[in-house]
Amino acid sequence: MNKITLEISDQLMNQLQNQTDSVQNILLKALEEYLAKEQLGFLKTKTWELCGSLEIPNPEPEFTTKLQDSKLSTNYAEHIDEVLY
């Protein structure tokens, strides 16, 4: 294990001391959660937020595919050159 030195405000330290878990365990858990979330950083992009949130009301049949659960899905992205040019 490695040791680190961390400065914590008195107010925050008082709140930490009132916890049943040790400060070290709390900080380790927080670091683990942070690193787990950061590994999925691509999920925080605006593009990822928009994926699946937009719906095309009347998709063209040639760009429509049927999913296993009987829902219709468009594949405009696969034919983007045809659509743009």
Side-chain angles (χ1 to χ4, degrees):
M1 273 214 159
N2 294 302
K3 289 188 176 189
I4 62 170
T5 303
L6 181 67
E7 291 186 22
I8 301 175
S9 69
D10 291 337
Q11 179 185 7
L12 188 56
M13 195 62 197
N14 287 337
Q15 291 176 358
L16 286 171
Q17 288 174 340
N18 293 331
Q19 301 299 313
T20 55
D21 221 349
S22 71
V23 173
Q24 180 176 340
N25 285 340
I26 292 169
L27 291 174
L28 287 173
K29 286 178 190 175
L31 284 170
E32 288 171 357
E33 287 180 24
Y34 172 79
L35 291 173
K37 288 179 185 176
E38 283 302 307
Q39 289 176 351
L40 300 176
F42 68 91
L43 295 177
K44 297 178 184 174
T45 64
K46 191 65 175 170
T47 303
W48 188 263
E49 287 179 26
L50 291 174
C51 286
S53 67
L54 304 175
E55 186 176 321
I56 299 171
N58 299 311
E60 297 178 34
E62 65 185 284
F63 298 116
T64 303
T65 59
K66 194 165 196 121
L67 299 176
Q68 290 177 349
D69 58 358
S70 299
K71 291 183 180 178
L72 289 179
S73 176
T74 61
N75 59 359
Y76 282 103
E78 294 174 12
H79 300 281
I80 193 67
D81 289 337
E82 297 167 22
V83 174
L84 290 176
Y85 304 107

